[in-house]
Amino acid sequence: MAVTTDRLGLATLRRLPVECRPLLRPGTVPAGIVHLGLGAFHRAHQAVHTEAAVGAAGGDWGIVGVAPRSTAVVDALAEQDALFSVTTLAPEGAATRVVGALAGVRHAPADPAAVVRLLADPAIRVVTLTVTEKAYQLDPVTGALRADPDLLADLTTDRPPRTVPGLLVRGLLARAAADAGPVALVSCDNLPANGRRLRGLVTQALALARVPDGPAGWIERQVTFPGTMVDRIVPAPTPDTLDTARRALGVTDLAAVAAEPYSQWVVEDDFPGGRPAWERAGAVLTGDAGPWERLKLRTLNGVHSATAYLGALAGAETVAETLTLPRLDAVLRRLVAEDVAASFAPPPGVSVPAYGEEVLARFANPAIRHRTLQIAMDGSQKLPQRVLHTIADLRAAGRPARWGALVVAAWLRFLGGHADDGRPLPLDDPLADRIRAALAAAPGTPAGTVDALFALREVFPADLAADDEVRADVTGWLTALQRHGVRATLAGAA
Protein backbone atom coordinates (compact mmCIF):
# COMPACT_ATOMS: atom_id res chain seq x y z
CA MET A 1 0.00 0.00 0.00
CA ALA A 2 1.17 3.53 -0.67
CA VAL A 3 2.56 5.33 2.37
CA THR A 4 4.61 8.21 0.98
CA THR A 5 3.07 11.65 1.38
CA ASP A 6 4.44 12.72 -2.01
CA ARG A 7 2.95 9.93 -4.13
CA LEU A 8 -0.56 9.45 -5.46
CA GLY A 9 -2.44 6.90 -3.36
CA LEU A 10 -5.28 6.44 -0.91
CA ALA A 11 -3.34 8.33 1.73
CA THR A 12 -3.07 11.43 -0.44
CA LEU A 13 -6.55 11.54 -2.01
CA ARG A 14 -7.76 14.27 0.34
CA ARG A 15 -4.85 16.47 -0.74
CA LEU A 16 -6.02 16.47 -4.34
CA PRO A 17 -8.03 19.36 -5.74
CA VAL A 18 -11.72 18.42 -5.67
CA GLU A 19 -12.00 18.45 -9.46
CA CYS A 20 -9.14 15.94 -9.71
CA ARG A 21 -10.52 13.29 -7.35
CA PRO A 22 -11.74 9.90 -8.66
CA LEU A 23 -15.38 8.92 -8.97
CA LEU A 24 -14.60 5.56 -7.30
CA ARG A 25 -12.34 4.69 -4.41
CA PRO A 26 -10.25 1.54 -5.05
CA GLY A 27 -11.27 -1.27 -2.71
CA THR A 28 -14.92 -0.26 -2.56
CA VAL A 29 -16.05 -1.85 -5.86
CA PRO A 30 -15.51 -5.62 -6.15
CA ALA A 31 -13.86 -6.92 -9.31
CA GLY A 32 -16.06 -8.09 -12.17
CA ILE A 33 -13.70 -7.41 -15.08
CA VAL A 34 -10.23 -8.65 -15.94
CA HIS A 35 -8.32 -6.54 -18.43
CA LEU A 36 -5.28 -7.89 -20.29
CA GLY A 37 -2.98 -5.05 -21.27
CA LEU A 38 -2.33 -2.24 -18.79
CA GLY A 39 -0.97 0.18 -21.33
CA ALA A 40 -1.77 3.85 -21.66
CA PHE A 41 -4.72 3.28 -23.98
CA HIS A 42 -6.66 1.12 -21.56
CA ARG A 43 -6.06 3.52 -18.70
CA ALA A 44 -7.32 6.46 -20.78
CA HIS A 45 -10.23 4.66 -22.43
CA GLN A 46 -11.96 1.53 -21.04
CA ALA A 47 -11.00 2.34 -17.44
CA VAL A 48 -12.44 5.86 -17.79
CA HIS A 49 -15.67 4.62 -19.40
CA THR A 50 -16.08 1.89 -16.78
CA GLU A 51 -15.50 4.20 -13.84
CA ALA A 52 -18.10 6.61 -15.23
CA ALA A 53 -20.58 3.75 -15.80
CA VAL A 54 -20.20 2.39 -12.27
CA GLY A 55 -20.34 5.89 -10.85
CA ALA A 56 -23.62 6.48 -12.68
CA ALA A 57 -25.35 3.12 -12.27
CA GLY A 58 -23.39 1.06 -9.72
CA GLY A 59 -22.43 -2.59 -10.06
CA ASP A 60 -19.58 -4.89 -9.07
CA TRP A 61 -17.43 -3.94 -12.03
CA GLY A 62 -14.01 -3.12 -10.65
CA ILE A 63 -11.19 -3.96 -13.07
CA VAL A 64 -8.22 -6.18 -12.29
CA GLY A 65 -5.53 -5.05 -14.74
CA VAL A 66 -3.05 -7.64 -15.99
CA ALA A 67 0.20 -6.67 -17.68
CA PRO A 68 1.33 -9.38 -20.12
CA ARG A 69 4.93 -8.12 -20.27
CA SER A 70 6.35 -5.03 -18.57
CA THR A 71 6.53 -4.73 -14.80
CA ALA A 72 6.94 -0.93 -14.77
CA VAL A 73 3.26 0.01 -14.86
CA VAL A 74 2.33 -2.81 -12.43
CA ASP A 75 4.95 -1.61 -9.95
CA ALA A 76 3.84 2.00 -10.28
CA LEU A 77 0.15 1.18 -9.82
CA ALA A 78 0.79 -1.20 -6.93
CA GLU A 79 2.62 1.58 -5.10
CA GLN A 80 -0.29 3.95 -5.79
CA ASP A 81 -3.14 1.71 -4.57
CA ALA A 82 -4.15 1.19 -8.24
CA LEU A 83 -4.81 4.91 -8.73
CA PHE A 84 -3.62 6.84 -11.78
CA SER A 85 -4.49 10.07 -13.54
CA VAL A 86 -5.61 10.97 -17.04
CA THR A 87 -4.82 14.44 -18.38
CA THR A 88 -7.09 15.60 -21.18
CA LEU A 89 -5.11 17.75 -23.61
CA ALA A 90 -7.30 20.24 -25.44
CA PRO A 91 -5.93 23.12 -27.54
CA GLU A 92 -7.27 25.55 -24.95
CA GLY A 93 -5.63 23.81 -21.99
CA ALA A 94 -5.22 20.64 -19.92
CA ALA A 95 -7.44 19.05 -17.26
CA THR A 96 -6.32 16.20 -14.99
CA ARG A 97 -8.45 13.71 -13.06
CA VAL A 98 -7.58 10.60 -11.07
CA VAL A 99 -9.30 7.34 -12.05
CA GLY A 100 -10.29 4.73 -9.46
CA ALA A 101 -11.66 1.95 -11.69
CA LEU A 102 -8.88 -0.55 -10.96
CA ALA A 103 -9.52 -3.08 -8.20
CA GLY A 104 -6.02 -4.52 -8.47
CA VAL A 105 -3.10 -5.25 -10.77
CA ARG A 106 -1.17 -8.38 -11.74
CA HIS A 107 1.97 -9.18 -13.74
CA ALA A 108 1.27 -12.26 -15.87
CA PRO A 109 4.88 -13.49 -16.34
CA ALA A 110 5.53 -13.28 -12.59
CA ASP A 111 2.56 -15.49 -11.65
CA PRO A 112 0.65 -16.85 -14.66
CA ALA A 113 -1.17 -19.38 -12.47
CA ALA A 114 -2.71 -16.54 -10.48
CA VAL A 115 -3.97 -14.95 -13.71
CA VAL A 116 -5.48 -18.27 -14.81
CA ARG A 117 -7.27 -18.55 -11.45
CA LEU A 118 -8.52 -15.01 -11.86
CA LEU A 119 -9.93 -15.78 -15.32
CA ALA A 120 -11.74 -18.77 -13.79
CA ASP A 121 -13.23 -16.78 -10.91
CA PRO A 122 -17.08 -16.78 -11.12
CA ALA A 123 -17.07 -13.11 -10.03
CA ILE A 124 -15.33 -12.20 -13.29
CA ARG A 125 -17.94 -11.93 -16.04
CA VAL A 126 -16.09 -9.76 -18.56
CA VAL A 127 -12.52 -10.02 -19.90
CA THR A 128 -11.31 -7.12 -22.05
CA LEU A 129 -8.09 -6.90 -24.03
CA THR A 130 -5.78 -4.18 -25.36
CA VAL A 131 -2.64 -6.15 -26.16
CA THR A 132 -1.86 -4.79 -29.70
CA GLU A 133 -2.33 -6.71 -32.92
CA LYS A 134 0.80 -8.85 -32.71
CA ALA A 135 -0.04 -10.38 -29.31
CA TYR A 136 -2.96 -12.30 -30.84
CA GLN A 137 -0.46 -14.41 -32.82
CA LEU A 138 -2.81 -14.23 -35.83
CA ASP A 139 -1.82 -13.86 -39.46
CA PRO A 140 -3.32 -10.43 -40.28
CA VAL A 141 -4.38 -11.61 -43.76
CA THR A 142 -5.83 -15.08 -43.08
CA GLY A 143 -6.68 -14.90 -39.37
CA ALA A 144 -4.88 -18.22 -38.79
CA LEU A 145 -2.83 -18.77 -35.65
CA ARG A 146 0.89 -18.60 -36.27
CA ALA A 147 3.10 -21.57 -35.42
CA ASP A 148 4.87 -19.68 -32.64
CA PRO A 149 6.96 -21.98 -30.40
CA ASP A 150 5.84 -20.31 -27.18
CA LEU A 151 2.19 -20.49 -28.22
CA LEU A 152 2.47 -24.16 -29.22
CA ALA A 153 4.13 -24.93 -25.89
CA ASP A 154 1.33 -23.10 -24.06
CA LEU A 155 -1.26 -25.23 -25.85
CA THR A 156 0.44 -28.62 -25.83
CA THR A 157 2.37 -28.77 -22.54
CA ASP A 158 1.66 -28.11 -18.85
CA ARG A 159 4.22 -25.35 -18.48
CA PRO A 160 3.00 -21.94 -17.24
CA PRO A 161 1.51 -19.97 -20.16
CA ARG A 162 3.61 -17.18 -21.66
CA THR A 163 1.37 -15.88 -24.45
CA VAL A 164 -1.95 -14.06 -24.44
CA PRO A 165 -3.75 -16.89 -26.29
CA GLY A 166 -2.21 -19.35 -23.86
CA LEU A 167 -3.45 -17.41 -20.85
CA LEU A 168 -6.95 -17.14 -22.30
CA VAL A 169 -7.24 -20.83 -23.15
CA ARG A 170 -5.89 -21.95 -19.78
CA GLY A 171 -8.27 -19.58 -18.02
CA LEU A 172 -11.28 -20.74 -20.05
CA LEU A 173 -10.45 -24.40 -19.44
CA ALA A 174 -10.16 -23.74 -15.70
CA ARG A 175 -13.46 -21.89 -15.86
CA ALA A 176 -15.10 -24.79 -17.68
CA ALA A 177 -13.74 -27.28 -15.15
CA ALA A 178 -15.25 -25.24 -12.31
CA ASP A 179 -18.47 -24.52 -14.24
CA ALA A 180 -17.86 -20.92 -13.19
CA GLY A 181 -20.56 -19.29 -15.28
CA PRO A 182 -20.67 -17.34 -18.53
CA VAL A 183 -18.12 -14.73 -19.53
CA ALA A 184 -17.65 -12.27 -22.40
CA LEU A 185 -14.21 -11.91 -24.01
CA VAL A 186 -13.97 -8.43 -25.49
CA SER A 187 -11.19 -7.41 -27.85
CA CYS A 188 -10.57 -3.67 -27.82
CA ASP A 189 -7.66 -3.85 -30.28
CA ASN A 190 -7.56 -2.50 -33.82
CA LEU A 191 -8.37 -5.74 -35.60
CA PRO A 192 -11.03 -6.09 -38.29
CA ALA A 193 -14.04 -7.91 -36.88
CA ASN A 194 -12.11 -8.13 -33.62
CA GLY A 195 -14.79 -10.16 -31.85
CA ARG A 196 -14.87 -12.78 -34.60
CA ARG A 197 -11.07 -12.78 -34.74
CA LEU A 198 -10.88 -13.44 -31.02
CA ARG A 199 -13.46 -16.22 -31.29
CA GLY A 200 -11.43 -17.74 -34.13
CA LEU A 201 -8.27 -17.52 -32.03
CA VAL A 202 -9.89 -19.41 -29.16
CA THR A 203 -11.45 -22.01 -31.46
CA GLN A 204 -8.15 -22.66 -33.25
CA ALA A 205 -6.23 -22.78 -29.96
CA LEU A 206 -8.66 -25.33 -28.49
CA ALA A 207 -8.20 -27.49 -31.58
CA LEU A 208 -4.41 -27.27 -31.40
CA ALA A 209 -4.57 -28.17 -27.71
CA ARG A 210 -6.84 -31.14 -28.55
CA VAL A 211 -9.32 -30.12 -25.89
CA PRO A 212 -12.01 -32.79 -25.34
CA ASP A 213 -15.58 -32.18 -26.47
CA GLY A 214 -16.84 -31.60 -22.93
CA PRO A 215 -14.84 -28.49 -21.99
CA ALA A 216 -14.77 -27.31 -25.62
CA GLY A 217 -18.57 -27.49 -25.73
CA TRP A 218 -18.85 -25.65 -22.41
CA ILE A 219 -16.71 -22.82 -23.82
CA GLU A 220 -18.80 -22.67 -26.98
CA ARG A 221 -22.01 -22.35 -24.97
CA GLN A 222 -20.84 -20.08 -22.16
CA VAL A 223 -18.37 -17.65 -23.78
CA THR A 224 -19.28 -14.75 -26.08
CA PHE A 225 -17.02 -12.48 -28.12
CA PRO A 226 -18.61 -9.05 -28.59
CA GLY A 227 -17.03 -6.93 -31.30
CA THR A 228 -15.97 -3.38 -30.49
CA MET A 229 -14.64 -0.18 -31.94
CA VAL A 230 -12.45 1.96 -29.70
CA ASP A 231 -11.21 5.45 -30.47
CA ARG A 232 -9.11 7.88 -28.50
CA ILE A 233 -5.67 9.26 -29.29
CA VAL A 234 -3.39 8.36 -26.38
CA PRO A 235 0.29 9.17 -26.95
CA ALA A 236 2.95 7.22 -25.08
CA PRO A 237 3.59 8.90 -21.71
CA THR A 238 6.66 11.13 -21.48
CA PRO A 239 8.37 13.04 -18.65
CA ASP A 240 6.15 15.97 -19.64
CA THR A 241 3.09 13.79 -18.97
CA LEU A 242 4.29 13.13 -15.43
CA ASP A 243 5.21 16.78 -14.87
CA THR A 244 1.77 17.96 -16.01
CA ALA A 245 0.06 15.48 -13.68
CA ARG A 246 2.20 16.52 -10.73
CA ARG A 247 1.45 20.20 -11.24
CA ALA A 248 -2.28 19.46 -11.35
CA LEU A 249 -2.40 16.98 -8.47
CA GLY A 250 0.28 18.24 -6.13
CA VAL A 251 1.64 14.67 -5.82
CA THR A 252 3.65 12.37 -8.08
CA ASP A 253 1.84 9.90 -10.35
CA LEU A 254 4.21 7.51 -12.12
CA ALA A 255 1.32 5.87 -13.99
CA ALA A 256 -0.05 9.11 -15.44
CA VAL A 257 -1.34 9.20 -19.01
CA ALA A 258 -2.54 11.96 -21.32
CA ALA A 259 -5.11 11.85 -24.11
CA GLU A 260 -7.14 13.96 -26.48
CA PRO A 261 -10.63 15.11 -25.41
CA TYR A 262 -12.42 12.83 -27.91
CA SER A 263 -13.32 9.30 -26.80
CA GLN A 264 -15.65 6.80 -28.47
CA TRP A 265 -16.53 3.18 -27.69
CA VAL A 266 -18.91 1.07 -29.78
CA VAL A 267 -19.72 -2.34 -28.26
CA GLU A 268 -21.85 -5.24 -29.46
CA ASP A 269 -24.29 -5.92 -26.63
CA ASP A 270 -23.67 -9.66 -26.04
CA PHE A 271 -22.80 -10.13 -22.35
CA PRO A 272 -24.31 -13.30 -20.85
CA GLY A 273 -22.98 -12.52 -17.38
CA GLY A 274 -23.95 -8.86 -17.39
CA ARG A 275 -21.89 -5.73 -17.97
CA PRO A 276 -21.41 -2.19 -16.68
CA ALA A 277 -23.89 0.43 -17.88
CA TRP A 278 -21.38 1.75 -20.40
CA GLU A 279 -24.14 3.55 -22.28
CA ARG A 280 -24.37 5.84 -19.23
CA ALA A 281 -20.74 6.77 -19.97
CA GLY A 282 -21.32 7.60 -23.63
CA ALA A 283 -20.66 4.21 -25.22
CA VAL A 284 -22.73 3.05 -28.18
CA LEU A 285 -24.28 -0.40 -27.62
CA THR A 286 -25.17 -2.05 -30.91
CA GLY A 287 -25.98 -5.34 -32.56
CA ASP A 288 -23.18 -4.97 -35.14
CA ALA A 289 -19.96 -3.04 -34.60
CA GLY A 290 -18.66 -3.94 -38.06
CA PRO A 291 -19.49 -0.71 -39.89
CA TRP A 292 -18.05 1.31 -37.01
CA GLU A 293 -14.87 -0.81 -37.01
CA ARG A 294 -14.36 -0.29 -40.74
CA LEU A 295 -15.07 3.44 -40.40
CA LYS A 296 -12.40 3.81 -37.77
CA LEU A 297 -9.81 1.37 -39.12
CA ARG A 298 -9.94 2.65 -42.68
CA THR A 299 -10.42 6.33 -41.99
CA LEU A 300 -8.77 7.25 -38.70
CA ASN A 301 -6.17 4.45 -38.53
CA GLY A 302 -5.52 4.50 -42.27
CA VAL A 303 -4.93 8.25 -42.21
CA HIS A 304 -2.82 7.82 -39.06
CA SER A 305 -0.53 5.34 -40.83
CA ALA A 306 -0.33 7.56 -43.91
CA THR A 307 0.64 10.50 -41.73
CA ALA A 308 3.15 8.46 -39.75
CA TYR A 309 5.11 7.13 -42.73
CA LEU A 310 5.04 10.30 -44.80
CA GLY A 311 5.86 12.37 -41.73
CA ALA A 312 8.74 10.17 -40.58
CA LEU A 313 10.23 10.23 -44.09
CA ALA A 314 9.93 14.03 -44.14
CA GLY A 315 11.62 14.35 -40.75
CA ALA A 316 8.51 15.28 -38.75
CA GLU A 317 8.50 14.07 -35.17
CA THR A 318 4.76 14.26 -34.46
CA VAL A 319 1.47 13.87 -36.30
CA ALA A 320 0.52 17.51 -35.70
CA GLU A 321 3.86 18.62 -37.17
CA THR A 322 3.36 16.31 -40.16
CA LEU A 323 0.02 17.94 -40.97
CA THR A 324 1.84 21.24 -41.60
CA LEU A 325 3.54 19.73 -44.67
CA PRO A 326 2.28 21.59 -47.77
CA ARG A 327 -0.55 19.77 -49.59
CA LEU A 328 -0.61 16.80 -47.20
CA ASP A 329 -4.07 17.77 -45.93
CA ALA A 330 -5.38 17.83 -49.51
CA VAL A 331 -3.88 14.41 -50.24
CA LEU A 332 -5.36 12.93 -47.05
CA ARG A 333 -8.78 14.35 -47.91
CA ARG A 334 -8.58 12.65 -51.31
CA LEU A 335 -7.54 9.40 -49.63
CA VAL A 336 -10.67 9.55 -47.48
CA ALA A 337 -13.12 10.83 -50.10
CA GLU A 338 -11.98 8.87 -53.15
CA ASP A 339 -10.67 5.62 -51.66
CA VAL A 340 -11.95 5.01 -48.15
CA ALA A 341 -15.50 6.34 -48.62
CA ALA A 342 -15.95 4.27 -51.78
CA SER A 343 -14.72 1.03 -50.18
CA PHE A 344 -17.49 0.23 -47.65
CA ALA A 345 -20.92 1.16 -46.34
CA PRO A 346 -20.60 3.34 -43.21
CA PRO A 347 -22.94 3.26 -40.21
CA PRO A 348 -26.37 4.77 -40.95
CA GLY A 349 -26.32 8.54 -40.96
CA VAL A 350 -22.50 8.80 -40.98
CA SER A 351 -20.65 10.71 -43.72
CA VAL A 352 -17.14 9.30 -44.22
CA PRO A 353 -15.71 12.59 -45.58
CA ALA A 354 -17.20 14.48 -42.62
CA TYR A 355 -15.75 11.89 -40.24
CA GLY A 356 -12.43 12.36 -42.02
CA GLU A 357 -12.56 16.11 -41.43
CA GLU A 358 -13.09 15.45 -37.72
CA VAL A 359 -10.11 13.09 -37.75
CA LEU A 360 -7.85 15.71 -39.35
CA ALA A 361 -8.95 18.30 -36.78
CA ARG A 362 -8.12 15.87 -33.97
CA PHE A 363 -4.73 15.03 -35.48
CA ALA A 364 -3.89 18.73 -35.76
CA ASN A 365 -4.33 19.27 -31.99
CA PRO A 366 -0.93 20.78 -31.03
CA ALA A 367 -1.30 19.61 -27.43
CA ILE A 368 -1.13 15.94 -28.54
CA ARG A 369 2.48 14.98 -29.28
CA HIS A 370 1.80 11.64 -30.96
CA ARG A 371 5.16 10.51 -32.37
CA THR A 372 5.25 9.35 -35.97
CA LEU A 373 7.71 6.59 -35.13
CA GLN A 374 5.36 5.19 -32.47
CA ILE A 375 2.54 4.92 -34.99
CA ALA A 376 4.91 3.50 -37.63
CA MET A 377 5.70 0.43 -35.53
CA ASP A 378 4.37 -3.01 -36.55
CA GLY A 379 3.38 -1.94 -40.05
CA SER A 380 3.12 -5.53 -41.29
CA GLN A 381 0.38 -6.10 -38.70
CA LYS A 382 -1.42 -2.79 -39.17
CA LEU A 383 -1.40 -2.13 -42.92
CA PRO A 384 -3.69 -5.03 -43.94
CA GLN A 385 -6.72 -3.81 -41.98
CA ARG A 386 -5.93 -0.11 -42.19
CA VAL A 387 -5.12 0.21 -45.89
CA LEU A 388 -4.95 -3.06 -47.83
CA HIS A 389 -8.59 -4.01 -47.12
CA THR A 390 -9.61 -0.65 -48.57
CA ILE A 391 -7.54 -1.31 -51.69
CA ALA A 392 -8.84 -4.88 -52.05
CA ASP A 393 -12.49 -3.82 -51.80
CA LEU A 394 -11.98 -1.03 -54.32
CA ARG A 395 -10.27 -3.36 -56.78
CA ALA A 396 -13.00 -5.98 -56.36
CA ALA A 397 -15.46 -3.28 -57.44
CA GLY A 398 -13.30 -2.38 -60.43
CA ARG A 399 -12.20 0.94 -58.97
CA PRO A 400 -8.67 2.38 -58.71
CA ALA A 401 -6.95 2.81 -55.33
CA ARG A 402 -4.40 5.47 -56.11
CA TRP A 403 -4.21 7.13 -52.72
CA GLY A 404 -4.14 3.86 -50.82
CA ALA A 405 -1.22 2.91 -53.07
CA LEU A 406 0.60 6.04 -51.87
CA VAL A 407 0.32 4.86 -48.26
CA VAL A 408 1.71 1.44 -49.20
CA ALA A 409 4.57 3.10 -51.09
CA ALA A 410 5.34 5.30 -48.08
CA TRP A 411 5.56 2.18 -45.90
CA LEU A 412 7.88 0.47 -48.39
CA ARG A 413 10.04 3.58 -48.49
CA PHE A 414 10.06 3.69 -44.67
CA LEU A 415 11.29 0.08 -44.61
CA GLY A 416 14.38 1.24 -46.50
CA GLY A 417 15.60 2.64 -43.19
CA HIS A 418 16.36 6.27 -43.99
CA ALA A 419 14.40 9.52 -44.07
CA ASP A 420 14.63 12.00 -46.93
CA ASP A 421 17.46 13.82 -45.15
CA GLY A 422 19.40 10.61 -44.56
CA ARG A 423 18.67 10.14 -40.87
CA PRO A 424 18.09 6.50 -39.85
CA LEU A 425 14.57 5.17 -39.33
CA PRO A 426 14.04 2.19 -36.99
CA LEU A 427 12.30 -0.98 -38.15
CA ASP A 428 10.26 -2.25 -35.20
CA ASP A 429 8.12 -5.02 -36.67
CA PRO A 430 7.44 -8.72 -35.98
CA LEU A 431 8.51 -9.47 -39.57
CA ALA A 432 11.64 -7.30 -39.38
CA ASP A 433 14.08 -10.13 -40.19
CA ARG A 434 12.08 -11.30 -43.20
CA ILE A 435 11.64 -7.74 -44.43
CA ARG A 436 15.37 -7.05 -44.21
CA ALA A 437 16.17 -10.32 -45.98
CA ALA A 438 13.69 -9.56 -48.76
CA LEU A 439 15.12 -6.08 -49.28
CA ALA A 440 18.70 -7.36 -49.24
CA ALA A 441 17.92 -9.90 -51.98
CA ALA A 442 15.95 -7.47 -54.15
CA PRO A 443 17.30 -5.33 -56.97
CA GLY A 444 17.81 -1.77 -55.78
CA THR A 445 14.93 -0.39 -57.83
CA PRO A 446 11.37 0.59 -56.90
CA ALA A 447 9.98 -2.28 -58.99
CA GLY A 448 12.40 -4.69 -57.31
CA THR A 449 11.31 -3.49 -53.87
CA VAL A 450 7.66 -3.95 -54.76
CA ASP A 451 8.33 -7.45 -56.12
CA ALA A 452 10.23 -8.47 -52.98
CA LEU A 453 7.82 -7.14 -50.38
CA PHE A 454 4.60 -7.99 -52.20
CA ALA A 455 5.77 -11.61 -51.85
CA LEU A 456 5.19 -11.43 -48.08
CA ARG A 457 1.93 -13.35 -47.87
CA GLU A 458 1.44 -12.43 -44.21
CA VAL A 459 0.93 -8.88 -45.46
CA PHE A 460 -0.20 -9.00 -49.10
CA PRO A 461 -2.74 -11.64 -50.17
CA ALA A 462 -1.98 -13.33 -53.48
CA ASP A 463 -4.76 -11.67 -55.48
CA LEU A 464 -3.77 -8.18 -54.36
CA ALA A 465 -0.06 -8.88 -54.91
CA ALA A 466 -0.83 -10.00 -58.46
CA ASP A 467 -2.91 -6.93 -59.32
CA ASP A 468 -0.95 -5.15 -62.05
CA GLU A 469 -2.71 -1.81 -61.51
CA VAL A 470 -1.95 -1.80 -57.78
CA ARG A 471 1.67 -2.77 -58.42
CA ALA A 472 2.02 -0.02 -61.01
CA ASP A 473 0.51 2.62 -58.70
CA VAL A 474 2.68 1.61 -55.75
CA THR A 475 5.80 1.47 -57.93
CA GLY A 476 5.04 4.91 -59.34
CA TRP A 477 4.61 6.49 -55.92
CA LEU A 478 7.69 4.71 -54.55
CA THR A 479 9.75 5.98 -57.49
CA ALA A 480 8.65 9.54 -56.76
CA LEU A 481 9.34 9.23 -53.03
CA GLN A 482 12.82 7.80 -53.62
CA ARG A 483 13.80 10.32 -56.28
CA HIS A 484 12.19 13.49 -54.97
CA GLY A 485 11.24 12.98 -51.32
CA VAL A 486 7.92 13.50 -49.55
CA ARG A 487 7.57 17.24 -49.97
CA ALA A 488 8.11 17.26 -53.72
CA THR A 489 5.92 14.17 -54.16
CA LEU A 490 3.07 15.83 -52.30
CA ALA A 491 3.54 19.01 -54.29
CA GLY A 492 3.21 17.06 -57.52
CA ALA A 493 0.23 14.95 -56.42
CA ALA A 494 -2.89 15.68 -58.43
Side-chain angles (χ1 to χ4, degrees):
M1 302 293 286
V3 294
T4 176
T5 59
D6 194 42
R7 187 74 175 269
L8 177 63
L10 293 176
T12 56
L13 278 182
R14 290 188 177 182
R15 289 176 49 190
L16 304 181
V18 172
E19 66 273 13
C20 297
R21 293 176 188 175
L23 299 177
L24 305 177
R25 182 182 176 92
T28 62
V29 179
I33 300 173
V34 167
H35 183 82
L36 300 181
L38 261 177
F41 184 81
H42 167 68
R43 303 202 302 278
H45 190 276
Q46 296 92 29
V48 172
H49 281 269
T50 299
E51 184 190 47
V54 176
D60 295 345
W61 296 111
I63 302 170
V64 179
V66 178
R69 295 182 301 277
S70 173
T71 62
V73 69
V74 173
D75 293 342
L77 288 166
E79 293 175 10
Q80 296 178 182
D81 303 316
L83 292 165
F84 63 92
S85 65
V86 178
T87 297
T88 300
L89 299 173
E92 62 272 15
T96 301
R97 190 176 65 78
V98 172
V99 176
L102 294 179
V105 292
R106 302 285 189 276
H107 182 235
D111 194 351
V115 177
V116 170
R117 289 193 299 272
L118 189 61
L119 293 170
D121 187 337
I124 301 301
R125 289 97 75 203
V126 176
V127 177
T128 52
L129 299 90
T130 53
V131 291
T132 76
E133 295 93 335
K134 59 187 173 183
Y136 288 79
Q137 306 276 8
L138 293 171
D139 183 305
V141 173
T142 66
L145 274 176
R146 293 199 177 100
D148 176 78
D150 273 341
L151 174 58
L152 292 175
D154 282 356
L155 299 176
T156 59
T157 74
D158 292 331
R159 69 134 202 227
R162 299 177 185 173
T163 66
V164 168
L167 280 171
L168 288 176
V169 169
R170 296 283 186 92
L172 290 176
L173 291 174
R175 195 174 186 95
D179 194 17
V183 65
L185 267 56
V186 188
S187 170
C188 299
D189 284 294
N190 288 320
L191 297 168
N194 54 15
R196 290 194 293 277
R197 286 271 173 139
L198 184 55
R199 180 189 292 277
L201 179 158
V202 170
T203 300
Q204 293 177 67
L206 292 173
L208 283 172
R210 298 184 177 180
V211 172
D213 290 345
W218 188 96
I219 291 170
E220 183 177 359
R221 294 188 303 273
Q222 298 288 337
V223 183
T224 62
F225 300 85
T228 68
M229 184 274 270
V230 297
D231 190 4
R232 194 176 197 187
I233 297 173
V234 185
T238 68
D240 285 344
T241 309
L242 305 188
D243 289 344
T244 299
R246 181 173 178 82
R247 288 194 299 272
L249 302 175
V251 294
T252 298
D253 174 13
L254 295 184
V257 295
E260 66 168 335
Y262 184 94
S263 185
Q264 186 178 41
W265 195 6
V266 179
V267 190
E268 291 175 353
D269 200 359
D270 188 12
F271 292 84
R275 60 166 176 79
W278 284 314
E279 67 276 14
R280 298 283 296 274
V284 175
L285 277 297
T286 181
D288 180 12
W292 294 95
E293 292 172 7
R294 289 185 286 277
L295 176 70
K296 193 251 182 172
L297 283 168
R298 299 185 184 197
T299 313
L300 183 138
N301 293 118
V303 170
H304 225 187
S305 288
T307 307
Y309 295 121
L310 292 167
L313 290 169
E317 182 182 355
T318 68
V319 169
E321 180 185 349
T322 301
L323 285 178
T324 66
L325 293 173
R327 283 199 52 78
L328 177 60
D329 57 347
V331 167
L332 294 176
R333 286 186 173 95
R334 295 193 71 174
L335 168 65
V336 172
E338 297 176 20
D339 285 10
V340 175
S343 72
F344 77 106
V350 174
S351 161
V352 177
Y355 179 85
E357 288 297 323
E358 185 178 39
V359 165
L360 291 176
R362 291 164 59 194
F363 286 177
N365 181 351
I368 298 291
R369 293 189 56 79
H370 210 173
R371 297 174 60 246
T372 53
L373 292 181
Q374 178 192 357
I375 303 158
M377 293 170 55
D378 303 332
S380 69
Q381 311 296 293
K382 296 174 179 177
L383 263 289
Q385 55 262 23
R386 296 183 176 198
V387 179
L388 299 185
H389 290 177
T390 295
I391 295 175
D393 286 346
L394 288 172
R395 298 301 297 137
R399 300 177 65 105
R402 184 162 180 255
W403 305 105
L406 170 60
V407 186
V408 176
W411 180 56
L412 300 188
R413 171 75 171 138
F414 179 90
L415 297 179
H418 291 89
D420 292 344
D421 62 3
R423 76 181 71 182
L425 295 172
L427 177 54
D428 190 341
D429 193 287
L431 298 185
D433 290 343
R434 292 191 56 199
I435 289 169
R436 291 191 183 100
L439 289 173
T445 63
T449 298
V450 171
D451 287 342
L453 294 176
F454 271 42
L456 294 174
R457 285 294 167 265
E458 297 93 333
V459 183
F460 298 97
D463 55 347
L464 189 63
D467 189 313
D468 290 338
E469 183 171 329
V470 173
R471 296 175 76 93
D473 283 343
V474 173
T475 302
W477 284 119
L478 183 57
T479 300
L481 290 169
Q482 289 184 349
R483 289 180 181 175
H484 309 299
V486 169
R487 287 174 172 82
T489 299
L490 294 174

